[in-house]
Every structure is written in structure tokens, then in C-alpha cells.
Amino acid sequence: MSNIRERAVASAPAKAILFGEHFVVYGKPAIAVALNRRVRATSTLNDRGEIRVRSMLGYSSIPLASIHGPHSYEHDPHRHIIFSVQSVMNALNEHVGVDILLESDFPYGMGLGASAATSIATIASVSSLLGGMSRDQVFRLSLEAERLVHRNPSGIDSAICTYGGLVLFKDGRIERLDGRGYLHDLRFMIVNSGIMKDTGSMVMKVKARGESSREEFSSLTEMSEALTMQALYAMKCNDVARIGKLLTLNHLLLRRLGVSNDTLDAIVRDAIASGAYGAKLTGAGGGGCVISLIDGSRSKVLFDALSRYETFISGIEEEGVMLYSVDDV
Ligand code: MEV
């Protein structure tokens, strides 16, 4: 018990997928970016032998003694957080009551990686409370929590929210692109459609589509891979206009896949009509957010055109998961 601290704070960034979502689940490449919005997890020891979680999803409290695997809390809105805490306790062999407070400045269920970011911030903060863990271990435990929520995640959300920056992800391999000659001063506008989506069911929908229209699915898969590789090249050449065009093509491809809707299509159209280089839905689709690549000097025009939606601007957030010294917060 000697390594145990009273309180620990960690945060993890939001993310957006720029290229290759859905097909990344089938081992194809994808590019994702960390955004300048974060979720912060504060963990404090309690002497009640309970895991207690408070977030914008509500309040949960579960005695450690009543936990016999994830089915003990399968209907809890914080089940991936409770699962994350349990995995840390099992890994570090310390089982103590802990309170977790989650404060986020980006919304849940909108394709910005809230489930991965909350589990990563929780794992980092609880592990720091109980003795510490490496960043790679945080990533691995968060993948397990993501499996609980999304059934068959590719791992890209956990990767980008743990390591930050601009990342190429393929088959579980993570390559940081920023700082390696790839463009890093991109500016994005994120537009929230206000329509909640469920990643797990969108992934299942795409799977069913792949099974019922094999040929079309395989040509969409090839196109997604080609777009992602062209985007990688455009980033290397600092060709912002080309990246924008490829983003819009990626949106059309996702629309063909059946994961867009009228609201997302209208946001993409409005963003481009107002001067964005390109725009697309980001993440699982069915709702959530649109990401557009913009020229900072045109942001006022874009804000005005999309003023009925919640929007924010972000560059590439370099920092992934971060631990704070308790004296700093
Ligand atoms: C979700 O952010 C991205 C998807 O490709 C699912 C996944 O990669 O696990 C839709």
C-alpha cells in the first residue's frame, strides 16, 4: 500500500478520424488527429470500498465486493469506466475504494472519441493513484474497455487519444506522422450535428452491408485505402487543397457505404460552399460530427454559415494522455 496516493488527475484529448474509418476495422489504413478538447479524470481514494463515478452521464456507485466480472454492472452507463478501474486494480493488484470525477469539454456520443478518452484518462489517473503505469499499458487497457463498449473496435480511437498528434493506424500499428516531415499546421472546424450515434451498431450495420453486397464493399474498401494513401502523400507535400478534396471524396465514399444522413450531407455542403477546403463526417457516422479543413482567415464566414450548430476550431493537439501533478490543479 506504500505507493498509494490520495488523489491523481489525468486528461486525454478528443479525436477525429480524417481518413479510413470503418475500413480500419478490416485492417485497412486510417489517419486520425487529436483535437484541442480534453476530458479530465480526477481520482480520489474513498474508505467505503466502492467505485463511484460522476460524469455528464450521471452518477454510479458499486461496491467492490459485488463485482464478479463485467456482467455485475453491464447496464451501468459508466460500465467502461468501472471496467477500466477494475483492470487497473487487477493489473496493479491493489483493490481499494475510489471516486472518479470526469469533466469533459467535448460531447459524448458524437464521434469525437469520448469513450476512449474517458477510459484512458481514468486508467492513467487511477493507475497513478495506485502506483503508476506506462503509456503503452494505458493504451492496452483502454483497448479492452473499448471492446466492452464497441464489441469489435479497430483500436484507432484508443491509439490517437493515448498518443495524440496525427497518426497513421493500420492493423494495430501506430505511426505518429507529425514531426516527421508531414504537415502539422492544419486547421479544422468541427461541427456537431446534434444527432447521437452508437459506434457499435454502425460498425455492425457496415458488417451486414459487407456481407450482403460483397463486390461493392470490396471496391469501397480499395477506394478508402487509395484515398488514405493519397492523403498521406498530400500531407507530405503540404498540399492543403488536395487534402481538402480527398476529405470530401472520403465523405462521398462513406455516404455510399450508408453511414451518412441528410443532416451530415447538408453540413458538408454548407462548409464547402462557405470556403472550406473539404469536409466529411468523422467516426462511425449516423450522426455525430463533421470535420472540415479550413483556412483560418475564413473561419468567421464558416461560423456564420453553420451558426445553428455547435462548432469549434482545432489544430493538431500534440499531447495525448497527460498526468498532472496534484499541486498544479
Ligand atoms: C470510430 O471512431 C471509428 C470506426 O472505424 C470504428 C473503429 O475503428 O473501431 C467506425
Side-chain angles (χ1 to χ4, degrees), residues 1-62:
M1 300 283 281
S2 56
N3 287 334
I4 292 189
R5 295 160 54 193
E6 290 276 306
R7 184 161 166 263
V9 183
S11 75
K15 69 94 201 0
I17 299 188
L18 295 177
F19 295 95
E21 55 268 89
H22 282 295
F23 302 99
V24 65
V25 173
Y26 301 90
K28 295 296 170 193
I31 299 175
V33 63
L35 304 172
N36 63 8
R37 298 283 166 121
R38 301 186 81 86
V39 58
R40 186 162 94 151
T42 304
S43 315
T44 320
L45 290 181
N46 72 51
D47 55 10
R48 299 174 60 98
E50 291 174 349
I51 299 176
R52 303 189 294 194
V53 187
R54 188 178 293 285
S55 79
M56 62 172 91
L57 296 179
Y59 176 71
S60 310
S61 158
I62 179 159

Side-chain angles (χ1 to χ4, degrees), residues 15-17 20-26 30 111-113 146 150 152-157 169 197 199-200 202-203 206 282-285:
K15 69 94 201 0
I17 299 188
E21 55 268 89
H22 282 295
F23 302 99
V24 65
V25 173
Y26 301 90
L112 299 179
E146 283 288 276
H150 301 314
N152 184 27
S154 63
I156 190 169
D157 289 12
F169 185 91
K197 51 91 217 162
T199 301
M202 292 311 287
V203 169
V206 168
T282 181

Side-chain angles (χ1 to χ4, degrees), residues 1 4 86-96 130 133:
M1 300 283 281
I4 292 189
Q86 272 279 291
S87 339
V88 172
M89 289 183 180
N90 291 340
L92 298 177
N93 205 17
E94 291 282 7
H95 297 265
V96 288
L130 302 183
M133 201 170 255

Side-chain angles (χ1 to χ4, degrees), residues 80-268:
H80 70 299
I81 298 301
I82 299 168
F83 181 87
S84 300
V85 175
Q86 272 279 291
S87 339
V88 172
M89 289 183 180
N90 291 340
L92 298 177
N93 205 17
E94 291 282 7
H95 297 265
V96 288
V98 61
D99 291 344
I100 323 282
L101 172 66
L102 293 166
E103 297 162 292
S104 178
D105 55 15
F106 64 97
Y108 278 75
M110 290 296 168
L112 299 179
S115 79
T118 48
S119 75
I120 288 163
T122 301
I123 292 164
S125 124
V126 175
S127 63
S128 157
L129 200 64
L130 302 183
M133 201 170 255
S134 72
R135 194 174 271 240
D136 292 350
Q137 251 178 315
V138 171
F139 168 67
R140 279 196 295 276
L141 292 192
S142 123
L143 258 184
E144 285 170 24
E146 283 288 276
R147 275 191 200 110
L148 190 75
V149 188
H150 301 314
R151 290 167 277 208
N152 184 27
S154 63
I156 190 169
D157 289 12
S158 294
I160 188 69
C161 298
T162 303
Y163 299 103
L166 180 70
V167 157
L168 173 69
F169 185 91
K170 184 174 187 298
D171 256 341
R173 282 194 313 279
I174 303 160
E175 191 186 339
R176 270 269 313 234
L177 299 174
D178 44 330
R180 293 197 187 179
Y182 289 86
L183 192 69
H184 58 264
D185 53 356
L186 300 175
R187 293 218 80 58
F188 302 103
M189 177 178 270
I190 316 298
V191 184
N192 185 352
S193 70
I195 304 168
M196 289 279 278
K197 51 91 217 162
D198 174 48
T199 301
S201 47
M202 292 311 287
V203 169
M204 295 311 283
K205 183 178 166 186
V206 168
K207 181 164 183 258
R209 178 77 191 272
E211 284 163 2
S212 64
S213 331
R214 279 179 203 278
E215 271 184 28
E216 188 187 24
F217 189 73
S218 106
S219 65
L220 290 175
T221 306
E222 276 169 31
M223 280 186 239
S224 172
E225 181 166 21
L227 277 177
T228 306
M229 298 326 283
Q230 284 178 41
L232 204 58
Y233 183 69
M235 286 176 186
K236 201 157 199 172
C237 303
N238 280 2
D239 191 344
V240 185
R242 178 94 188 120
I243 302 169
K245 289 209 172 72
L246 292 167
L247 280 177
T248 308
L249 283 173
N250 200 157
H251 179 77
L252 296 176
L253 191 151
L254 290 166
R255 191 170 130 181
R256 190 69 195 257
L257 186 65
V259 299
S260 188
N261 60 31
D262 291 348
T263 308
L264 297 169
D265 292 345
I267 297 173
V268 167

